[in-house]
Amino acid sequence: MDGNGRWAASRDLPRTSGHRAAEATVIDVIEAARSAGVRWLSLYAFSTENWRRPDDEVDYLLRLVRRVVRKHAPLLHARGIRCRFLGGADARIPAALARDFADLTTLTSRNRGMTLTVAFDHGGRRDIVEAARSLIRSGAAPEAVDEESFAAHLPFPDTPDVDLVIRTSGEQRISNFMLWQVAYAEWVFPSVLWPDFRATHFLECLTTYQRRQRRFGGVAADTKGEPGS
Ligand code: IPE
Ligand code: MG
């Protein structure tokens, strides 16, 4: 979810106004994904690197996400969405916010409509390092470790590989997002800033994705012999 700061700057508003405006997009995209039949939606809200931002912006984001989680919990539950939070190991996460994350996770844990993963204080590298630690602690023999057994030590190992990553605002970077899971993801980079992104934009991204030919390093069935990647 990128472009909140630029959205605000283009209106001569403080960056925090861009974050506030992001809330409407979040709800719109969740509803659009659910209606379109998406089973797994992940939103990258705050990275392990975002702590480098000025204290007042970080404080604003911590308060905003808490307010959004509390306000929309009944709606998310009513829609049958299973919510969970990826990340959150940092001691700077306020206890009250951690409680609200845990409460929403518990409230919606039996829902089966769509799984919404909110990546907050998330870092793909951190998750891989933690998985390595967990694997070593488990006493696994080195020769017994393969991709599948390694991935079982990542947080939320039931999460399927990511099919599509949408990064708004035109930036074309991974920024440490679910590094293991995006290995064969398709990427789209709409130029729209996150606060202006709406259900229609989301559906356009899904259409773009559907037109992509995914080969996973192989060759397409009807183009055998053509150069492939
Ligand atoms: C995304 O918008 C929100 C967060 C990372 C929390 P930005 O704050 O990155 O907006 P830009 O990139 O400065 O426009
Ligand atoms: Mg940004």
Side-chain angles (χ1 to χ4, degrees):
M1 303 187 279
D2 203 5
N4 299 350
R6 280 162 283 165
W7 183 91
S10 72
R11 286 165 174 74
D12 273 330
L13 294 167
R15 292 179 54 82
T16 47
S17 308
H19 298 316
R20 193 187 322 126
E23 176 182 352
T25 305
V26 167
I27 300 305
D28 221 44
V29 166
I30 292 171
E31 294 276 25
R34 201 187 59 85
S35 306
V38 170
R39 304 292 305 166
W40 302 82
L41 176 71
S42 303
L43 297 175
Y44 198 5
F46 193 89
S47 73
T48 48
E49 291 73 34
N50 284 147
W51 294 108
R52 293 180 194 149
R53 293 190 177 199
D55 287 349
D56 55 349
E57 184 172 344
V58 170
D59 284 348
Y60 186 90
L61 287 165
L62 292 171
R63 277 185 284 117
L64 177 71
V65 73
R66 181 155 191 239
R67 191 173 61 72
V68 169
V69 163
R70 294 173 71 92
K71 178 174 160 192
H72 297 288
L75 171 86
L76 294 164
H77 189 40
R79 294 280 191 269
I81 297 170
R82 176 170 68 144
C83 303
R84 55 199 197 175
F85 295 86
L86 174 65
D90 198 290
R92 285 168 287 188
I93 301 271
L97 179 60
R99 247 190 335 267
D100 289 334
F101 285 175
D103 287 349
L104 182 58
T105 302
T106 307
L107 173 72
T108 63
S109 62
R110 290 172 186 279
N111 292 343
R112 288 294 172 263
M114 176 174 86
T115 298
L116 171 67
T117 303
V118 178
F120 195 90
D121 180 36
H122 162 72
R125 284 184 172 179
R126 181 168 71 189
D127 285 353
I128 291 171
V129 170
E130 283 302 321
R133 286 183 173 169
S134 160
L135 189 70
I136 292 164
R137 266 188 242 112
S138 76
E143 2 359 279
V145 177
D146 57 15
E147 291 181 10
E148 201 186 334
S149 63
F150 183 88
H153 289 267
L154 289 166
F156 304 132
D158 61 333
T159 309
D161 275 356
V162 173
D163 290 312
L164 169 65
V165 180
I166 302 168
R167 182 172 186 148
T168 56
S169 86
E171 302 283 6
Q172 303 186 2
R173 284 189 292 280
I174 297 186
S175 300
N176 206 8
F177 177 68
M178 287 190 172
L179 293 181
W180 179 278
Q181 297 90 338
V182 300
Y184 261 97
E186 297 292 328
W187 295 76
V188 294
F189 301 103
S191 56
V192 184
L193 304 174
W194 179 255
D196 289 329
F197 194 79
R198 284 291 170 270
T200 48
H201 302 110
F202 182 78
L203 296 175
E204 277 166 28
C205 293
L206 292 189
T207 304
T208 302
Y209 168 79
Q210 283 166 335
R211 292 202 189 105
R212 297 269 175 94
Q213 190 191 52
R214 304 186 77 193
R215 295 190 292 272
F216 299 97
V219 291
D222 56 348
T223 57
K224 284 219 160 55
E226 303 274 311
S229 64

